[in-house]
Amino acid sequence: MTLILSNDDIRKSLKVKECLNVMEETYRELASSRAVNRPTSQSYLPPSLPQSTYNFKSVDGGVGKYGVFALRVTSTVDQEQHINNTVRLEKLPLAKGKFVGLVQLFSAETGELLAIMPDGFIQQTRVAVTSALGVKALARENSKVLALIGSGGQAHAHFRFLTAVRPIKHVKIFSPNPEHRNAFAKEMERETEIPTNPMESAERAVTDCDIVCTTTNSSRPVVKADWLKPGMHYNAIREFEMDEAGLAKSDVVAIHTQFGGIQHYQPPGIVVDMPGVRREKSRDWSRYPEICDLIAGKAPGRTNDKQITFFLNNVGTGVQFAAMGYCAYRAAKENGLGHEIPTDWFLQDIKP
Amino acid sequence: MTLILSNDDIRKSLKVKECLNVMEETYRELASSRAVNRPTSQSYLPPSLPQSTYNFKSVDGGVGKYGVFALRVTSTVDQEQHINNTVRLEKLPLAKGKFVGLVQLFSAETGELLAIMPDGFIQQTRVAVTSALGVKALARENSKVLALIGSGGQAHAHFRFLTAVRPIKHVKIFSPNPEHRNAFAKEMERETEIPTNPMESAERAVTDCDIVCTTTNSSRPVVKADWLKPGMHYNAIREFEMDEAGLAKSDVVAIHTQFGGIQHYQPPGIVVDMPGVRREKSRDWSRYPEICDLIAGKAPGRTNDKQITFFLNNVGTGVQFAAMGYCAYRAAKENGLGHEIPTDWFLQDIKP
């Protein structure tokens, strides 16, 4: 049977420890040439709405040890919206008020389609799990206070996974909207029984913490270099959440992956970028080790308690979707969740 | 509703004329920057069987006019088999004795997943339809005799589509195995009511024909340059079915696409190609026009009845799957074919 899962099925069934173990093994597989990644590609079609573009994004990857291969696609109409003198790129909920993003899991042993699931919860989880492995590799063993900047889906996931790898006793939370930060702090305290405090500024949240984690959409620095003190670990999920000075001040720096760079495909003959095509500039990260090197012991991590460590969880990779898709599939099968469809519907006699 | 189709559903519902029209419009869209292609990628995982490799192949593309975007994937275990001093790459039927190749059709207007279908019949059809458009653009209007070399799935499809664009009165068939060519000739004569003759050699099939079409797996020339006579049109679906001399002898040459070249992704650290990784050498086709240039009138076709014309239907593109997927989806909906699944199962509230 091929399983069709929902975000709720996945939310109910994913186990924190298993996600961490499977992702860690996945990075070991990558370090020993037993996992593969294809960089993200985006293909664009001209707008059916003003200032918009159809954007088909895909990435794939597989992990030998688990015998799975995953394809992640998003199929969206993206619109440039001018709000308060800034241009924002908004994905429009045109699919009956909803969005289309899917992870498809294949067996690398038989080729069969094992499962199709939405990418939303998986996406948040795969980022947070990798950040947690960065914490595991770089933060002080006795880290007790976490400063979390942000209150969205990524903040939720990072709260759950970062507190699972270090003995965190207290989480200080900042996000610009007081209602959001208060509600988020309460919600997570109730869920995890770890005391939380909403803070009035990012600086106050960071003061005296052991681990700083920014989970924002910001393209400007969120944490200032001055705030980073000896012994701290800083985790960013976007390159420019951290300023250049903060980077220079860090004693140990690692990134998720050197791999990638999005490949953009516009219709032939189009030389000016269509609305919605974003080619992000990046700093040069080529001198820093990857998380899989840290995990496999090929690169040094923290060597003393005074060092400032920095992990940039930069771009997503296919193996992350394979690892988390595998966890979701296995857990859903154990718990009898999801809709079952005959696998035969996705098989054929004709040799491809 | 999202439709799940089978090869039989598609075989029953696809209409020859509509396929030709939609594909022709698709090439016009491409010529006017309203369609897009991503080149084929293949990602590999280490073998679970000797001399084998897991191979995940994907290509995508979309067509503005039809508001659709297609992704084609194959998920196969490929094994190198040594037979009679040659090495053959065999896709193994490990999925309950069957194969996994899928075309997924998305709406470029809403993002929704419209349909999932096997790629087998679509694959044969998309090649044949493009060959037929090559015939339409290059073969003499009064072409009456077709020589068809091959008797497999592609030969079937090419018989159907090539005879739809020229007033073919007679088809001469050669394939090395007499039983295969006899059975194929009989079958197609019954289906199309066009008289056929199985021939004892490729040369005898080609003698006195107007159009030659090779649909073989051969990497060596199947048709010799000497056999090509003034006025003939030659269609090849593999680059090396035609020898260098035949190419030189042709007055007008066009190809399917300049686009592409397969992108291969092996696990990091693997520097020698894994079993099953095929990097095909190609001649330089950059000076020849594409089919979309011929159709859009941007490149000249045949200008007199004495010319020898040659069309190389070289590599597949995403737009072909979008065009044929659209035809299959529309026809299946009209005819009430396929399994319906709630589209909601493939939607989510979380913004990707």
Side-chain angles (χ1 to χ4, degrees):
Chain A
M1 288 297 186
T2 298
L3 271 189
I4 314 288
L5 304 179
S6 69
N7 279 320
D8 270 347
D9 293 332
I10 300 169
R11 196 178 281 119
K12 273 182 231 158
S13 53
L14 272 187
K15 290 177 209 97
V16 168
K17 290 270 180 258
E18 198 192 359
C19 290
L20 288 163
N21 288 342
V22 168
M23 191 72 94
E24 195 166 34
E25 276 303 299
T26 292
Y27 288 120
R28 280 207 187 89
E29 288 281 282
L30 207 53
S32 49
S33 302
R34 292 189 35 84
V36 70
N37 277 313
R38 169 173 80 81
T40 301
S41 64
Q42 302 199 46
S43 305
Y44 305 93
L45 276 180
S48 47
L49 295 169
Q51 286 305 104
S52 75
T53 300
Y54 174 73
N55 178 355
F56 186 84
K57 179 159 92 168
S58 68
V59 68
D60 62 51
V63 188
K65 174 166 182 164
Y66 301 114
V68 292
F69 194 93
L71 167 74
R72 185 252 192 139
V73 305
T74 63
S75 169
T76 59
V77 178
D78 302 348
Q79 190 173 49
E80 283 189 346
Q81 297 180 350
H82 296 255
I83 302 163
N84 301 334
N85 290 323
T86 63
V87 183
R88 260 177 75 153
L89 192 64
E90 271 300 311
K91 294 188 180 300
L92 303 179
L94 297 177
K96 301 178 186 170
K98 298 188 177 184
F99 301 96
V100 180
L102 299 169
V103 174
Q104 304 179 12
L105 192 72
F106 293 86
S107 164
E109 278 148 20
T110 68
E112 280 168 89
L113 178 60
L114 302 173
I116 304 179
M117 58 193 92
D119 72 341
F121 193 72
I122 292 272
Q123 156 71 5
Q124 293 167 3
T125 305
R126 63 115 194 140
V127 179
V129 170
T130 293
S131 291
L133 294 177
V135 165
K136 212 178 145 188
L138 294 173
R140 292 192 337 270
E141 290 277 354
N142 60 348
S143 296
K144 292 193 169 60
V145 180
L146 167 65
L148 192 50
I149 317 290
S151 60
Q154 286 294 356
H156 283 77
H158 278 73
F159 194 117
R160 288 181 195 114
F161 284 94
L162 266 54
T163 57
V165 292
R166 284 294 179 263
I168 302 296
K169 304 288 176 231
H170 184 201
V171 182
K172 298 195 285 178
I173 287 165
F174 174 74
S175 98
N177 181 317
E179 271 175 52
H180 290 175
R181 70 186 178 233
N182 291 338
F184 173 54
K186 255 187 212 153
E187 180 193 348
M188 294 313 294
E189 186 165 318
R190 208 165 38 233
E191 180 187 315
T192 62
E193 297 180 359
I194 297 173
T196 64
N197 273 104
M199 309 299 287
E200 278 152 38
S201 71
E203 183 172 4
R204 292 200 52 189
V206 173
T207 305
D208 295 327
C209 78
D210 301 306
I211 298 171
V212 193
C213 175
T214 48
T215 60
T216 74
N217 278 322
S218 179
S219 298
R220 275 166 294 185
V222 173
V223 168
K224 292 199 175 137
D226 281 354
W227 307 349
L228 298 178
K229 303 297 176 196
M232 276 190 188
H233 173 69
Y234 179 40
N235 181 89
I237 62 171
R238 284 176 66 87
E239 175 162 5
F240 296 103
E241 286 178 332
M242 163 70 112
D243 66 12
E244 198 71 47
L247 188 61
K249 199 174 170 183
S250 301
D251 301 293
V252 183
V253 177
I255 65 170
H256 174 218
T257 181
Q258 302 283 357
F259 194 77
I262 294 174
Q263 298 172 336
H264 299 272
Y265 297 99
Q266 299 194 91
I270 290 192
V271 288
V272 175
D273 277 349
M274 295 160 73
V277 179
R278 291 283 178 277
R279 299 178 197 269
E280 298 208 335
K281 281 176 206 153
S282 184
R283 287 180 187 136
D284 175 18
W285 296 101
S286 59
R287 83 197 107 141
Y288 301 110
E290 298 181 335
I291 184 86
C292 63
D293 298 322
L294 293 180
I295 289 172
K298 292 180 179 177
R302 171 186 290 274
T303 51
N304 69 59
D305 279 1
K306 295 289 173 208
Q307 287 174 319
I308 296 174
T309 53
F310 174 51
F311 180 62
L312 173 66
N313 194 349
N314 54 344
V315 293
T317 54
V319 293
Q320 292 181 309
F321 291 99
M324 293 302 94
Y326 171 75
C327 290
Y329 171 68
R330 237 175 50 161
K333 263 183 80 168
E334 263 174 34
N335 298 314
L337 295 172
H339 301 285
E340 289 190 333
I341 292 185
T343 300
D344 289 349
W345 291 8
F346 306 109
L347 301 178
Q348 62 181 346
D349 297 311
I350 302 178
K351 210 182 275 194
Chain B
M1 288 297 185
T2 298
L3 271 188
I4 313 289
L5 304 179
S6 69
N7 279 320
D8 270 348
D9 294 332
I10 300 169
R11 195 177 281 118
K12 273 182 229 159
S13 54
L14 272 188
K15 290 176 208 98
V16 169
K17 290 271 180 257
E18 199 193 359
C19 289
L20 288 163
N21 289 341
V22 168
M23 191 72 94
E24 194 165 35
E25 276 303 300
T26 293
Y27 288 120
R28 281 209 185 87
E29 288 281 280
L30 208 52
S32 50
S33 303
R34 291 187 38 81
V36 70
N37 278 314
R38 169 174 81 81
T40 301
S41 63
Q42 302 199 46
S43 305
Y44 305 94
L45 275 181
S48 46
L49 294 170
Q51 286 305 100
S52 75
T53 300
Y54 174 73
N55 178 353
F56 186 84
K57 179 158 93 167
S58 68
V59 67
D60 62 52
V63 188
K65 175 167 181 163
Y66 301 114
V68 292
F69 194 93
L71 167 73
R72 184 252 192 140
V73 304
T74 63
S75 168
T76 59
V77 177
D78 302 349
Q79 189 173 50
E80 283 188 347
Q81 297 180 351
H82 296 257
I83 303 164
N84 301 335
N85 290 324
T86 63
V87 183
R88 260 177 75 153
L89 192 63
E90 272 300 312
K91 293 189 182 298
L92 304 179
L94 297 179
K96 300 177 186 169
K98 299 188 176 183
F99 301 96
V100 180
L102 298 169
V103 175
Q104 304 180 12
L105 192 72
F106 293 86
S107 164
E109 278 149 20
T110 69
E112 279 167 89
L113 178 60
L114 301 173
I116 304 180
M117 58 192 90
D119 72 343
F121 193 73
I122 293 272
Q123 157 71 5
Q124 293 166 3
T125 306
R126 63 117 195 139
V127 179
V129 171
T130 293
S131 290
L133 294 178
V135 165
K136 212 177 145 189
L138 293 173
R140 292 192 337 270
E141 289 278 355
N142 59 348
S143 298
K144 291 193 170 59
V145 181
L146 168 64
L148 191 51
I149 318 290
S151 60
Q154 286 295 356
H156 283 76
H158 278 75
F159 193 118
R160 290 182 194 114
F161 283 94
L162 266 53
T163 57
V165 292
R166 285 293 180 263
I168 302 297
K169 303 289 177 232
H170 184 200
V171 182
K172 297 196 286 177
I173 287 166
F174 173 75
S175 99
N177 181 317
E179 271 175 52
H180 290 176
R181 68 183 179 237
N182 290 339
F184 174 53
K186 254 187 212 155
E187 180 193 347
M188 295 313 294
E189 186 165 316
R190 207 163 38 231
E191 180 187 315
T192 63
E193 297 179 0
I194 299 173
T196 63
N197 273 105
M199 309 300 288
E200 280 152 38
S201 72
E203 183 171 6
R204 292 200 54 189
V206 173
T207 304
D208 295 327
C209 80
D210 300 306
I211 298 171
V212 194
C213 176
T214 47
T215 60
T216 73
N217 278 324
S218 178
S219 297
R220 276 167 291 186
V222 173
V223 168
K224 292 200 174 138
D226 281 354
W227 308 348
L228 297 178
K229 303 295 176 199
M232 277 191 188
H233 173 69
Y234 178 40
N235 182 90
I237 62 170
R238 283 176 66 89
E239 175 162 1
F240 296 103
E241 285 179 333
M242 164 69 113
D243 66 12
E244 198 72 46
L247 188 60
K249 199 174 170 181
S250 301
D251 301 292
V252 183
V253 176
I255 65 170
H256 175 218
T257 181
Q258 303 282 357
F259 194 77
I262 295 173
Q263 299 171 336
H264 300 271
Y265 297 100
Q266 299 194 90
I270 290 192
V271 289
V272 175
D273 277 349
M274 294 159 72
V277 178
R278 291 283 179 276
R279 298 176 197 271
E280 298 208 335
K281 281 177 206 153
S282 184
R283 288 180 186 136
D284 176 16
W285 296 100
S286 59
R287 83 198 107 141
Y288 301 110
E290 298 181 334
I291 184 87
C292 63
D293 298 323
L294 293 180
I295 289 172
K298 292 179 178 180
R302 171 185 289 275
T303 52
N304 70 58
D305 278 0
K306 296 288 173 210
Q307 288 173 319
I308 297 174
T309 53
F310 173 52
F311 179 62
L312 172 66
N313 193 351
N314 54 343
V315 293
T317 54
V319 293
Q320 292 181 309
F321 291 98
M324 293 302 95
Y326 171 75
C327 289
Y329 171 67
R330 240 176 48 162
K333 263 183 77 166
E334 263 174 35
N335 298 316
L337 296 171
H339 301 284
E340 290 189 333
I341 292 186
T343 300
D344 289 349
W345 291 6
F346 306 108
L347 301 178
Q348 63 181 346
D349 297 312
I350 301 178
K351 209 182 277 191

